[in-house]
Amino acid sequence: MKIALVDVNNCFVSCERVFAPNLEGRPVVVLSSNDGCVVARSNEAKALGIPMGIPWFKAKGIAQGVVPLSSNFALYADMSNRFMSILSTFSPNIETYSIDECFLDFSGFSFDLSGYAQQIRKRVKQWIGLPVCVGIGSTKTLAKLANHVAKKRSEWQGVCDFTSMEEARLDRLFSEIDVGEVWGVGKKLKEGLDSIGIGSVFELKSADQARMKALFGINLGRMVSELNGNACRDLEIVSPNQHGIMSSRSFGRGVFACEELEEAASLHVSIAAQKLRAQGSVCGAVQVYIRTSPFSLDAYAMGSTVPLMDSTDDTLLLIKAALSGLRRIYRPGYAYAKAGIVLIELSDKRRQTADLFADREEASKRSRLMKTLDEINLRHGRNKVGPGISGISADRSWSTKKGNRTPAYTTDWKALPVALAL
């Protein structure tokens, strides 16, 4: 088995630089929703000591001259789709792991895989401007680790193929890599491994699998097996449907009025319901929650779960349920900082038992209405059309802060980049 992991370097920053070449070589950070925390950093920003996840107001004091950008998820999602489309031409079997990572199955390929991976890097850079690194291994864990080596060690020129290395050379390399770089080894697990004298990848690979399983659980036992070339994780060619769909955002200011909370909750339901229909599921219950800032003196947080009589994917019915839960937990006088909803108890719509007493004609009309909403929003942009209560066409003053957001270069005709010829 031969698996490659292709990963975009500093994805969000790289997407921004495609359309703003003047950002090349400069320290750049991308901020989370509401311009709160650092969620992506250029190499230059990393070199200045700006850690991932730090609140922006603290990062300002670390280094001057850093360019802060508000997150532009419409741009990142579209660039990701283009990236995955290119990768699909290099292998018949791929697994989208995240917005900027994809596993490719190279099993059965008899040619030089390192050269093939360099072709991938060249094409992605030439066609959409994104820099990528490629790691190749006999398991997914090894492919992830090879990608880490390709990204951190310049002598590999962006591609590292473990399958072409002799075991002795591979073990020497593993002895130089901290065990915390293994896929799935977090801070707490690393501390546990350090405490028993396992500090490098080679030491974990050489550990007794049964002992690791007994001490730290079955997942670590599988990691040891995968580091030794025994695949325990298959490629998920078709991603499984989500078991719950969440939509939430922090507000750009404190929200006091219940009407504004209803508007926000309805918008979140509209977003989540479109995802629900896209994966062919129906929802059996809706959770809604609101909270103030956890740092406020009179902090308040509460949630409510509203079960549905019949599972549905109808946005209007889901909004009705969410609002009944919201009104139950709303308390006046608080400055709310965030609201969100979660669609739970999901099931396959094709296996849904029909209601014998339902008005079939009305249900058919509502189904066509939902399909039309989805088609319009897919063609013209997210939330272009929706229920009036969600305030889609209104000026939502409570919306997330986005003072430094760049245009949606690839998904909005009005935001297309302009090139001037002198």
Side-chain angles (χ1 to χ4, degrees), residues 211-364:
R211 180 173 180 247
M212 293 299 99
K213 179 180 176 181
L215 289 175
F216 300 102
I218 189 171
N219 287 332
L220 189 61
R222 288 172 177 169
M223 286 182 208
V224 174
S225 183
E226 289 230 336
L227 287 174
N228 283 278
N230 304 309
C232 299
R233 306 182 187 189
D234 295 327
L235 241 61
E236 295 181 4
I237 308 304
V238 179
S239 298
N241 287 338
Q242 300 180 60
H243 299 294
I245 300 176
M246 173 185 287
S247 179
S248 66
R249 285 289 185 276
S250 297
F251 299 132
R253 60 166 175 79
V255 170
F256 292 87
C258 185
E259 291 78 9
E260 289 185 305
L261 291 175
E262 291 177 351
E263 190 175 272
S266 300
L267 180 61
H268 291 317
V269 170
S270 298
I271 294 170
Q274 186 171 346
K275 295 179 181 178
L276 181 73
R277 292 188 290 271
Q279 72 173 38
S281 299
V282 289
C283 166
V286 181
Q287 292 179 338
V288 59
Y289 67 90
I290 51 177
R291 69 165 176 81
T292 61
S293 168
F295 304 106
S296 62
L297 295 177
D298 56 345
Y300 173 76
M302 187 61 65
S304 176
T305 299
V306 182
L308 303 172
M309 290 290 292
D310 297 295
S311 296
T312 184
D313 62 2
D314 188 313
T315 297
L316 302 181
L317 295 178
L318 295 173
I319 287 177
K320 183 178 180 181
L323 295 187
S324 68
L326 175 64
R327 291 162 186 156
R328 192 181 306 156
I329 61 177
Y330 170 73
R331 299 291 182 272
Y334 289 100
Y336 293 98
K338 188 174 185 178
I341 66 94
V342 187
L343 305 183
I344 59 174
E345 296 183 15
L346 307 191
S347 58
D348 192 330
K349 185 175 183 178
R350 295 170 299 180
R351 300 179 181 177
Q352 184 181 15
T353 303
D355 184 351
L356 293 176
F357 303 101
D359 186 333
R360 293 189 178 183
E361 184 177 351
E362 178 64 22
S364 178

Side-chain angles (χ1 to χ4, degrees), residues 72-389:
N72 188 343
F73 293 116
L75 173 64
Y76 310 149
D78 185 68
M79 293 294 282
S80 174
N81 290 335
R82 295 170 189 237
F83 169 60
M84 300 302 172
S85 178
I86 294 172
L87 296 186
S88 68
T89 66
F90 285 90
S91 173
N93 298 320
I94 70 172
E95 175 193 335
T96 300
Y97 178 64
S98 68
I99 192 172
D100 63 341
E101 292 179 279
C102 185
F103 287 104
L104 281 69
D105 187 0
F106 283 175
S107 300
F109 291 12
S110 58
F111 43 77
D112 174 29
L113 294 182
S114 293
Y116 194 56
Q118 289 293 354
Q119 292 180 38
I120 294 176
R121 296 185 70 237
K122 182 178 179 180
R123 185 174 299 180
V124 173
K125 183 66 175 178
Q126 184 177 27
W127 286 16
I128 59 175
L130 296 178
V132 303
C133 285
V134 184
I136 305 170
S138 55
T139 68
K140 292 171 79 172
T141 298
L142 287 171
K144 285 277 284 185
L145 192 60
N147 184 275
H148 166 78
V149 173
K151 185 177 294 187
K152 298 298 183 182
R153 303 195 178 200
S154 58
E155 64 267 26
W156 293 94
Q157 298 182 325
V159 173
C160 179
D161 180 7
F162 284 168
T163 66
S164 64
M165 291 187 196
E166 295 179 354
E167 188 170 357
R169 184 186 178 195
L170 199 58
D171 287 344
R172 286 196 300 272
L173 179 61
F174 284 177
S175 67
E176 300 170 1
I177 304 174
D178 188 276
V179 71
E181 301 299 341
V182 176
W183 185 25
V185 176
K187 181 180 178 181
K188 187 174 181 180
L189 181 53
K190 173 176 162 48
E191 291 174 352
L193 291 171
D194 285 339
S195 69
I196 60 171
I198 296 178
S200 71
V201 175
F202 174 71
E203 289 169 336
L204 180 59
K205 176 189 174 185
S206 305
D208 181 74
Q209 183 179 346
R211 180 173 180 247
M212 293 299 99
K213 179 180 176 181
L215 289 175
F216 300 102
I218 189 171
N219 287 332
L220 189 61
R222 288 172 177 169
M223 286 182 208
V224 174
S225 183
E226 289 230 336
L227 287 174
N228 283 278
N230 304 309
C232 299
R233 306 182 187 189
D234 295 327
L235 241 61
E236 295 181 4
I237 308 304
V238 179
S239 298
N241 287 338
Q242 300 180 60
H243 299 294
I245 300 176
M246 173 185 287
S247 179
S248 66
R249 285 289 185 276
S250 297
F251 299 132
R253 60 166 175 79
V255 170
F256 292 87
C258 185
E259 291 78 9
E260 289 185 305
L261 291 175
E262 291 177 351
E263 190 175 272
S266 300
L267 180 61
H268 291 317
V269 170
S270 298
I271 294 170
Q274 186 171 346
K275 295 179 181 178
L276 181 73
R277 292 188 290 271
Q279 72 173 38
S281 299
V282 289
C283 166
V286 181
Q287 292 179 338
V288 59
Y289 67 90
I290 51 177
R291 69 165 176 81
T292 61
S293 168
F295 304 106
S296 62
L297 295 177
D298 56 345
Y300 173 76
M302 187 61 65
S304 176
T305 299
V306 182
L308 303 172
M309 290 290 292
D310 297 295
S311 296
T312 184
D313 62 2
D314 188 313
T315 297
L316 302 181
L317 295 178
L318 295 173
I319 287 177
K320 183 178 180 181
L323 295 187
S324 68
L326 175 64
R327 291 162 186 156
R328 192 181 306 156
I329 61 177
Y330 170 73
R331 299 291 182 272
Y334 289 100
Y336 293 98
K338 188 174 185 178
I341 66 94
V342 187
L343 305 183
I344 59 174
E345 296 183 15
L346 307 191
S347 58
D348 192 330
K349 185 175 183 178
R350 295 170 299 180
R351 300 179 181 177
Q352 184 181 15
T353 303
D355 184 351
L356 293 176
F357 303 101
D359 186 333
R360 293 189 178 183
E361 184 177 351
E362 178 64 22
S364 178
K365 288 181 180 179
R366 293 291 281 268
S367 180
R368 293 197 300 272
L369 173 61
M370 295 301 111
K371 182 179 180 181
T372 301
L373 284 178
D374 293 343
E375 289 176 348
I376 292 174
N377 288 325
L378 184 62
R379 178 177 300 178
H380 298 286
R382 185 164 139 177
N383 300 325
K384 291 296 182 182
V385 179
I389 192 172

Side-chain angles (χ1 to χ4, degrees), residues 33-50:
S33 298
N34 228 30
D35 290 349
C37 301
V38 173
V39 295
R41 306 160 293 164
S42 67
N43 289 336
E44 296 80 6
K46 294 175 184 177
L48 292 174
I50 298 177

